[in-house]
Amino acid sequence: MKPLSIPKTHIQTRQIPAEGTTPKDELIAKNWQREQYIGITILFISLIAAVGFLSRRFEYAVLLALILSIALIVLFINL
């Protein structure tokens, strides 16, 4: 029996870019994490301040819920 030969036109090669030469994409925001964290912190502080003006007990309830949520998120991520 004659072995099957694959024509060279059907062989596919995969091109992988070299390290550090990623294509520039204008839709991807790079190095914006610091600004995002600053914005989230400002929103968080303003939320607590706004709730604190309305009701002190409600503020404590919101803070407790946020702290418990963060603790559970950290717990489940590390499992």
Side-chain angles (χ1 to χ4, degrees), residues 32-49 66 70 73:
W32 277 57
Q33 275 188 325
R34 183 180 52 144
E35 288 84 0
Q36 289 174 350
Y37 286 130
I38 291 171
I40 290 170
T41 304
I42 291 170
L43 283 173
F44 180 72
I45 291 172
S46 62
L47 172 72
I48 297 302
L66 286 172
I70 291 171
I73 289 169

Side-chain angles (χ1 to χ4, degrees), residues 40-78:
I40 290 170
T41 304
I42 291 170
L43 283 173
F44 180 72
I45 291 172
S46 62
L47 172 72
I48 297 302
V51 170
F53 287 132
L54 297 175
S55 170
R56 185 62 62 183
R57 288 188 346 187
F58 187 65
E59 178 184 12
Y60 292 147
V62 170
L63 280 174
L64 179 65
L66 286 172
I67 290 170
L68 288 177
S69 297
I70 291 171
L72 285 174
I73 289 169
V74 169
L75 177 72
F76 288 136
I77 286 177
N78 291 324

Side-chain angles (χ1 to χ4, degrees), residues 21-32:
T21 58
T22 57
K24 186 172 182 167
D25 190 355
E26 298 296 329
L27 297 176
I28 298 176
K30 297 184 184 207
N31 301 323
W32 277 57

Side-chain angles (χ1 to χ4, degrees), residues 4-29:
L4 293 173
S5 64
I6 300 173
K8 293 189 182 208
T9 58
H10 294 291
I11 296 176
Q12 295 180 356
T13 58
R14 216 170 86 178
Q15 295 180 354
I16 300 173
E19 296 268 336
T21 58
T22 57
K24 186 172 182 167
D25 190 355
E26 298 296 329
L27 297 176
I28 298 176

